[in-house]
């Protein structure tokens, strides 16, 4: 499969830009649609960028009509669990209303294939060690709820329209940077654990706070299934092939099936960076489930997805190299800050 036209909303962001790059390297044509609120124009390494908001239907319609995509990949969203608890409306407006608008316009313009960025946060407080796609969806924070609602919209929409198919990819904890060092995470106020820890090692923060040490987990801190961004991007490429090849609508977990606690991540960050930074125990962050680890059988069986960067060491090492490249002033990287 090559030469597919893919419109990527949020394609200037951390995950969307990595997916866009791999899509173009696989011979596909990419149009990025992004309002640059958290994304960066320099991150669109291949393909065209249209600067526009997902709520701006006229501009989005114009972009879709001009490009005639075979598929839309929808990344544009608000993504922080903690923020969603404090400002829920932002999440419902961007992640549920904005998504619905993208879906409606895309379908009106004839798009039949849709790949949706969903999240492990849809599961809430799972009762099993490994979460399967058929387990109950019971989010405990507005972020997860906003994505769950969008999944439901997609499901109902697809069952009413025989020509339309989607893949919802439920991301677990995405981290790491492009293995060739071209792209990585760059937010003005990063909140994710690995990025915070690396920036603390670099001296940008004076300490790392651990949010909660009395969870019912072996060391008392939350457990997450960290997945390398390049492996996640590959999952999108194979999901695209699945849809173009006539695959039916489906929701799939994207994770490795093994979890690490916050303390284990911190220890690995210290090991990789060689810096013994200050770590303090703090109260839990609202909305955090103690444990989220994927059962990934379904994505492997359905899409033939095979991760190739699946060690915590490689995730942290690539992210650390990216952090250091920012320090060294990688081309264009700091332009928009
Ligand atoms: N944490 C700390 N200190 C920090 C930052 C995070 O202790 O400075 C803890 C959090 O409390 C949590 C764990 O590290 O227990 C991971 O937190 P992240 O903020 O890195 O990620 P989340 O698990 O909150 O959320 C991420 C994505 C979501 C996605 C979810 C799926 O942001 O989009 O993973 O598991 F839904």
């Amino acid at each position: 499969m090559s030469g597919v036209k893919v419109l990527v909303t949020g394609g200037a962001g951390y995950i969307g830009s990595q997916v866009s790059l791999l899509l173009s390297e696989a011979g596909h044509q990419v149009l990025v649609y992004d309002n640059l609120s958290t994304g960066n124009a320099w991150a669109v390494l291949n393909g065209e960028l249209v600067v526009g908001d997902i709520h701006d239907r006229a501009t989005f319609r114009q972009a879709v009509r001009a490009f005639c995509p075979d598929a839309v990949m929808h990344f544009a969203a608000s993504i922080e669990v903690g923020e969603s608890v404090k400002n829920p409306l932002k999440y419902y407006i961007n992640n549920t209303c904005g998504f619905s608008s993208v879906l409606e316009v895309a379908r009106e313009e004839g798009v039949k294939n849709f790949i949706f960025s969903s999240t492990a946060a849809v599961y809430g407080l799972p009762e099993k060690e490994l979460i399967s796609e058929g387990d109950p969806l019971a989010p405990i924070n507005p972020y997860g709820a906003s994505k769950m609602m969008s999944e439901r919209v997609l499901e109902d929409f697809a069952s009413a329209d025989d020509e339309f198919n989607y893949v919802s990819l439920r991301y677990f904890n995405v981290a790491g940077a492009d293995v060739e060092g071209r792209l990585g995470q760059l937010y003005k106020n990063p909140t994710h654990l690995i990025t915070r820890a690396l920036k603390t090692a670099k001296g940008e923060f004076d300490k790392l706070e651990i949010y909660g040490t009395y969870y019912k987990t072996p060391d008392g801190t939350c457990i997450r299934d960290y997945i390398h961004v390049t492996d996640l991007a590959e999952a999108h490429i194979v999901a695209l092939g699945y849809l173009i090849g006539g695959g039916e609508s489906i929701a799939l977990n994207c994770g490795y099936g093994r979890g690490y606690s916050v303390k284990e991540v911190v220890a690995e960050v210290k090991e990789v960076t060689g810096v013994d930074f200050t770590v303090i125990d703090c109260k839990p962050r609202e909305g955090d489930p103690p444990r989220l680890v994927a059962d990934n059988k379904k994505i492997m069986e359905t899409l033939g997805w095979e991760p190739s960067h699946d060690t915590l060491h490689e995730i942290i090492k690539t992210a650390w190299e990216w952090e250091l490249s920012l320090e060294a002033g990688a081309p264009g990287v700091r332009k928009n800050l």
Side-chain angles (χ1 to χ4, degrees), residues 78-82 118-122 141 143-144 147 171-174 190-197 207-212 215 221-226 262 266 284-285 287-290 292:
S78 300
I79 58 156
E80 287 171 22
V81 171
S118 189
T119 169
V122 296
N141 51 61
Y143 169 66
K147 290 283 185 174
Y171 308 166
F172 283 65
N173 285 57
V174 190
T191 61
H192 290 107
L193 175 64
I194 291 179
T195 308
R196 294 280 307 187
K207 59 184 180 304
L208 180 80
E209 298 180 337
I210 296 190
Y211 303 139
Y215 284 100
T221 65
C222 288
I223 294 175
R224 294 288 183 273
D225 185 340
Y226 294 90
V262 174
V266 170
R285 188 173 66 179
D288 275 347
L292 286 173

Side-chain angles (χ1 to χ4, degrees), residues 106-117:
R107 190 64 188 111
E108 282 169 0
E109 296 301 323
V111 175
K112 293 180 183 157
N113 302 297
F114 201 92
I115 297 182
F116 177 63
S117 302

Side-chain angles (χ1 to χ4, degrees), residues 7 31-32 63 84 105 117 152 184 194 210 214 235 247 267 277 296 304 307 322:
L7 187 147
L31 177 77
V32 169
S84 81
V105 172
S117 302
R152 179 63 196 262
I194 291 179
I210 296 190
Y214 293 102
F277 50 87
N296 61 9
W322 171 252

